[in-house]
């Protein structure tokens, strides 16, 4: 079975949710640069909640935390969060852009500090209305599975890197598409 996503009727308590660590890095530059990044996922009262954070000493303006998910194995959404919040929300099918609607999801940036250092990222909500627009026949309830992945990437040449939660095979035409997705199990706990 895949990584478990809690399904409940309330709102998320992120600290109580399991963290999906982004640990599968691909040729980072410099080679020893692997920022600690993670996601926490929850289906609740209003839709799909995602908390995506990264601990980095220096945050490049080109750093992004991404998520992609598919409920039908064909169409998938792509969510990108930068240091200032939501960068993009789009729908893809067969690696072709179907639509981009940055109003179809909400995200607030988060910045903070804890015992591990400084972190940045965002908390996003993809409302059930948006999910129904993408997959009208799918119901997000315990016992179902979806496919997806979480990513941390940066295009700045000094800190260029990208990593994922589920391993992505080298040489894929689109490493952020459905070919690089793993399984997530929806559970009630």
């Amino acid at each position: 079975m895949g990584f478990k996503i809690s399904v409940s009727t309330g709102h998320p308590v992120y600290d109580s949710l399991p963290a999906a660590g982004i640990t599968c890095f691909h040729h980072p530059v410099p080679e020893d640069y692997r920022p600690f990044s993670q996601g926490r996922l929850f289906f609740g009262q209003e839709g799909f909640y995602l908390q995506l954070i990264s601990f980095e000493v220096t945050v490049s303006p080109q750093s992004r935390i991404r998520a992609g998910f598919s409920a039908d194995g064909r169409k998938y959404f792509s969510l990108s969060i930068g240091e200032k919040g939501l960068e993009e929300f789009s729908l893809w099918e067969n690696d072709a852009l179907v639509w981009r609607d940055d109003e179809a999801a909400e995200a607030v940036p988060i910045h903070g500090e804890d015992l591990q250092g400084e972190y940045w990222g965002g908390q996003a909500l993809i409302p059930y209305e948006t999910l129904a627009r993408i997959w009208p026949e799918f119901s997000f309830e315990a016992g179902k599975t979806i496919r997806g992945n979480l990513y941390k990437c940066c295009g700045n040449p000094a800190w260029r890197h990208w990593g994922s939660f589920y391993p992505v095979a080298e040489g894929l035409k689109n490493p952020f598409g459905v070919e690089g997705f793993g399984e997530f199990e929806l559970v009630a706990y």
Side-chain angles (χ1 to χ4, degrees), residues 23-38:
T23 59
C24 302
F25 280 90
H26 300 267
H27 304 296
V29 176
E31 287 190 28
D32 62 348
Y33 188 75
R34 286 169 164 58
F36 176 75
S37 304
Q38 67 182 28

Side-chain angles (χ1 to χ4, degrees), residues 61-91:
Q62 295 149 327
S63 279
R64 301 290 179 273
I65 304 175
R66 298 176 56 148
F69 283 91
S70 176
D72 66 5
R74 294 183 341 272
K75 292 183 280 185
Y76 66 94
F77 72 74
S78 176
L79 171 91
S80 178
I81 292 177
E83 189 179 14
K84 294 184 172 131
L86 183 68
E87 295 277 328
E88 179 180 333
F89 185 81
S90 53
L91 177 68

